[in-house]
Amino acid sequence: MEKNNTQLNFKDEPEKGLKRELKTSQLSMIAMGCAIGTGLFLGSGLAIQAAGPSVLLSYALGAFIVLLLMGCLAEMTVAHPTSGSFGAIAEKYMSPMAGYLVRYSYWIGNVLAVGVEVSAVSVYMNYWFPTVPGIVWILLFAGVLIYVNATSVNTFATFEYWFSFIKISAIVGFILLGAYVLFGSSEQPHIGPENFVNEGGFFPFGLKGMWIAVFISLFSFLGTELIAVTSGEAKDPDAAVPKALKATVFRLSTFYVLTIGIMLMIVPWKTAGIEVSPFVKVMEILNIPGASGIMNFIILTAAISAMNAQLYASTRMMFSLARGKHAPSFLGNLNKSGVPTKALAVSSTGIFIAAGVHALLPGSSYAFMMGISMFGAMFTWLMIFISHLFFRGKWEKTGGRKLPVRMIGFPYLTILGAVLLFSLMITSWFTDFKIMLQFGIPWLLFLAAAYFVSKRRNINHNVMEESLEKKIE
């Protein structure tokens, strides 16, 4: 990649106009809202089918990778709190092209992830209204969330806070209920720890199945990096960002491992799938009146919440691209409330892509959208690890201020995170998620070509301007 001779001034960044209104509690809830979505409530069924009970190790390893990622991200975000976040950091410390690839890839990943969540919404609504076409629910909920995102960042954060609160409370309730059923009530047949080794043992598909499920588990953790994107609108990013990142990783890893462990002890792993959420199946097996409907509502809330957060993330990244002159300038405009509504409109395209995919592939739209949406996020995570290696080296060479947050075990843990993530991306080629690389590799080639065309056009434009100025003189 080309050498970056430009020094971005992050104090006078081009993303001014955004309002710093987000509190630490809101930052944590926004990240939780994005990460606790269909990945846990619906996608966990895919992971269980791939690994069986060893999926618990898959999620633990996935959480470890995310913990390493958050350590790198916290250090860089506190140094440079901006809505361009890891994209702007890659541009400054690696090259303009790196920043371009990261921001556009993260943008497309979130745009398509919105489509994943909205596809799941149609699955959940089918539980109550099996005769209503899924596209009706896709368009209805999309309209509501576009409106919420278009009002103000505070309205978005308030909406996200309470939706996240509902689903986190539900998960805690699920854990307590499951613990009572397993250990506090009278014994029930076919329920208990023996389900971990029934039906083929703890590793029914060997280590290969467990490793493949790590890849699926990472989809469940996507969204934790959103805290870095919100830092451009955080009240006190130096204190709020690292605190929110640490709390989010701890809560997510605890929730995921505990809930899936309880689920596996109640629902035989072979019955898990994505036709109905495994959580709803738990309630049906326990035979609690009305509980399955309530759980389906909570899961619906989770999908809407995640969709809302991803729409926010993709909007802010497109806004950052426009302000960085990598996208049409009108996409960097703000309304009176400080919201980039034009960037929001462009970032809503994933909803219509999902609607089209749902119409063409009604039975497999969720898995398909999940596969193509993962590349942008996985590539971004990989680049965060690589950017951190460049960041720390250049920061110390230039004698920057003492970093208030530092990644432990540098550079070894940073390299370990990058190697694990890259290995998982390569693994996807040999699984049903091959579509991720089939989409992602051409996407990067397209972006690289677009970057060089745009760069040449800007050079020619600058040469023409200089020539015109000389003629006038």
Side-chain angles (χ1 to χ4, degrees):
M1 287 186 180
E2 67 194 74
K3 221 174 182 183
N4 184 9
N5 295 320
T6 61
Q7 292 297 313
L8 299 180
N9 188 337
F10 283 78
K11 290 182 179 178
D12 298 316
E13 58 179 285
E15 295 167 16
K16 61 184 179 181
L18 295 174
K19 298 185 177 180
R20 291 191 175 273
E21 297 180 348
L22 299 180
K23 303 172 185 176
T24 304
S25 59
Q26 289 176 321
L27 291 180
S28 296
M29 282 297 194
I30 288 170
M32 295 282 281
C34 196
I36 299 180
T38 61
L40 173 61
F41 291 113
L42 195 61
S44 57
L46 285 174
I48 292 169
Q49 285 295 299
S54 66
V55 73
L56 290 172
L57 297 181
S58 304
Y59 274 87
L61 184 52
F64 174 69
I65 293 171
V66 175
L67 184 63
L68 297 181
L69 183 83
M70 293 302 105
C72 298
L73 196 53
E75 180 180 310
M76 295 189 294
T77 302
V78 170
H80 300 304
T82 166
S83 288
S85 187
F86 29 79
I89 290 168
E91 180 175 345
K92 177 178 174 65
Y93 290 97
M94 291 180 66
S95 75
M97 183 179 176
Y100 182 89
L101 294 177
V102 168
R103 281 187 275 204
Y104 264 112
S105 294
Y106 187 68
W107 175 78
I108 195 65
N110 273 283
V111 165
L112 294 172
V114 170
V116 174
E117 301 295 344
V118 82
S119 295
V121 164
S122 67
V123 173
Y124 302 143
M125 293 304 293
N126 185 65
Y127 180 84
W128 293 302
F129 306 100
T131 59
V132 177
I135 195 169
V136 172
W137 305 117
I138 288 174
L139 297 177
L140 176 64
F141 285 103
V144 172
L145 293 183
I146 290 171
Y147 173 77
V148 168
N149 273 266
T151 49
S152 72
V153 69
N154 201 38
T155 303
F156 156 79
T158 301
F159 179 94
E160 194 59 36
Y161 181 91
W162 288 109
F163 264 51
S164 296
F165 181 81
I166 290 170
K167 62 187 175 185
I168 291 169
S169 300
I171 291 173
V172 172
F174 178 86
I175 292 171
L176 294 176
L177 174 63
Y180 171 74
V181 170
L182 291 166
F183 309 112
S185 63
S186 57
E187 290 187 10
Q188 298 188 45
H190 312 300
I191 290 181
E194 61 270 17
N195 278 340
F196 287 142
V197 292
N198 290 343
E199 306 288 347
F202 190 72
F203 291 94
F205 302 105
L207 292 175
K208 178 183 176 183
M210 187 275 290
W211 177 251
I212 290 172
V214 175
F215 173 79
I216 301 173
S217 78
L218 290 181
F219 179 77
S220 303
F221 290 106
L222 297 180
T224 48
E225 77 291 331
L226 182 59
I227 293 175
V229 179
T230 60
S231 65
E233 294 171 273
K235 280 188 174 180
D236 183 14
D238 280 20
V241 171
K243 185 177 179 182
L245 283 169
K246 290 175 186 175
T248 301
V249 174
F250 173 75
R251 291 170 188 166
L252 282 177
S253 54
T254 303
F255 286 158
Y256 274 86
V257 174
L258 276 177
T259 52
I260 293 175
I262 288 171
M263 186 194 309
L264 287 170
M265 284 190 276
I266 297 174
V267 179
W269 70 266
K270 281 192 173 182
T271 64
I274 61 167
E275 295 79 17
V276 177
S277 168
F279 285 78
V280 174
K281 285 190 176 183
V282 168
M283 295 305 175
E284 290 174 346
I285 287 174
L286 295 179
N287 214 12
I288 300 172
S292 60
I294 294 171
M295 181 56 71
N296 197 62
F297 169 76
I298 291 167
I299 296 168
L300 173 66
T301 301
I304 295 170
S305 170
M307 179 181 166
N308 187 44
Q310 286 155 350
L311 195 55
Y312 169 90
S314 56
T315 298
R316 284 346 183 244
M317 199 54 67
M318 179 52 68
F319 169 77
S320 174
L321 281 161
R323 287 295 179 91
K325 299 181 180 179
H326 295 306
S329 59
F330 71 89
L331 295 174
N333 295 341
L334 299 169
N335 65 10
K336 292 180 180 179
S337 301
V339 176
T341 48
K342 292 177 181 177
L344 170 63
V346 171
S347 298
S348 301
T349 52
I351 296 165
F352 302 102
I353 293 171
V357 171
H358 184 83
L360 294 171
L361 306 168
S364 57
S365 60
Y366 174 78
F368 178 82
M369 290 298 297
M370 177 180 171
I372 63 173
S373 71
M374 282 198 73
F375 179 80
M378 295 282 277
F379 175 74
T380 298
W381 281 17
L382 181 62
M383 291 297 284
I384 288 172
F385 282 120
I386 296 172
S387 295
H388 185 245
L389 294 172
F390 281 84
F391 164 81
R392 178 70 76 84
K394 289 188 178 181
W395 186 274
E396 292 176 349
K397 280 182 182 178
T398 54
R401 66 184 173 95
K402 185 178 179 182
L403 292 165
V405 179
R406 291 175 69 87
M407 170 68 174
I408 61 170
F410 179 86
Y412 307 108
L413 290 181
T414 301
I415 294 171
L416 176 62
V419 169
L420 287 172
L421 196 60
F422 183 72
S423 300
L424 285 164
M425 291 178 73
I426 297 300
T427 298
S428 69
W429 185 261
F430 305 98
T431 70
D432 292 339
F433 292 98
K434 186 177 182 179
I435 184 66
M436 186 191 82
L437 292 179
Q438 288 176 328
F439 167 80
I441 294 172
W443 169 254
L444 284 184
L445 293 174
F446 167 77
L447 281 185
Y451 174 79
F452 285 115
V453 169
S454 174
K455 183 182 176 185
R456 180 168 291 184
R457 187 176 297 169
N458 289 337
I459 291 172
N460 291 338
H461 179 72
N462 292 337
V463 169
M464 287 177 65
E465 282 189 342
E466 288 175 6
S467 177
L468 184 61
E469 286 175 3
K470 286 179 180 179
K471 285 182 180 180
I472 292 173
E473 289 174 1

